[in-house]
Amino acid sequence: TRMPAPFLIALLTVAALAAIVASLSLGSSGLDAPWAGLASGDPLTRTIVLELGYRARSLYELGALDQAAGNLAVAGRRFEDARALRDALLAENPADLESRTHLSQIYACLGEVARLRNDPAGELAWFQRAFELDQALVREHPGDGELVED
């Protein structure tokens, strides 16, 4: 029998979170614990990492929809959850370009939510983080026209 899609998504999410908890509890120094499989091409680890990235992207998109609908509290929580997932991925692989570029977008959205909430200090802090990350990405990848354009 086929597993229903929501059940499969929940199962992958639990597996991904278990991998993060295990890696954090074992002390992380690059690619140790369950993340070591990523370097060796372990399919399960690769699936978990892809699922976390997909979940972060989905939360980001849902946050954008909530923001457009004026539901700033929910949007802020979704952007924070997306940020936490990207931070977890970057803790294990700091060179993950996709997570770094997405994190910059998330920071900018958090800055926009802060602006809409009339929180100038939060707005400045989040946009500053986005700007600094963008600058670092351009310095590290000067030939990448898409990064330079952003």
Side-chain angles (χ1 to χ4, degrees):
T1 63
R2 276 181 87 184
M3 282 189 218
F7 177 77
L8 186 57
I9 291 170
L11 182 64
L12 284 172
T13 302
V14 168
L17 291 174
I20 290 172
V21 169
S23 68
L24 293 175
S25 66
L26 293 173
S28 179
S29 61
L31 291 171
D32 54 356
W35 296 93
L38 185 59
S40 67
D42 174 58
L44 178 59
T45 304
R46 209 170 277 290
T47 299
I48 290 168
V49 169
L50 289 173
E51 170 61 25
L52 286 175
Y54 177 75
R55 181 160 173 77
R57 183 63 66 185
S58 297
L59 286 164
Y60 170 84
E61 296 297 335
L62 288 170
L65 291 172
D66 289 322
Q67 180 181 342
N71 195 346
L72 300 180
V74 174
R77 283 193 303 275
R78 290 192 202 271
F79 291 138
E80 283 289 349
D81 289 346
R83 183 187 62 79
L85 288 172
R86 288 298 181 183
D87 283 343
L89 288 168
L90 286 168
E92 294 304 324
N93 182 8
D96 179 1
L97 185 59
E98 180 182 339
S99 285
R100 292 178 73 206
T101 55
H102 189 215
L103 194 57
S104 173
Q105 295 169 340
I106 293 167
Y107 289 164
C109 285
L110 286 165
E112 182 62 17
V113 167
R115 184 188 70 76
L116 293 170
R117 287 181 170 167
N118 295 316
D119 176 9
E123 176 186 2
L124 179 62
W126 285 117
F127 280 123
Q128 183 67 34
R129 287 179 78 174
F131 179 70
E132 289 171 0
L133 183 50
D134 286 344
Q135 283 184 318
L137 288 168
V138 169
R139 276 193 307 273
E140 294 166 18
H141 305 277
D144 188 325
E146 195 172 315
L147 288 176
V148 172
E149 183 181 301
D150 285 346

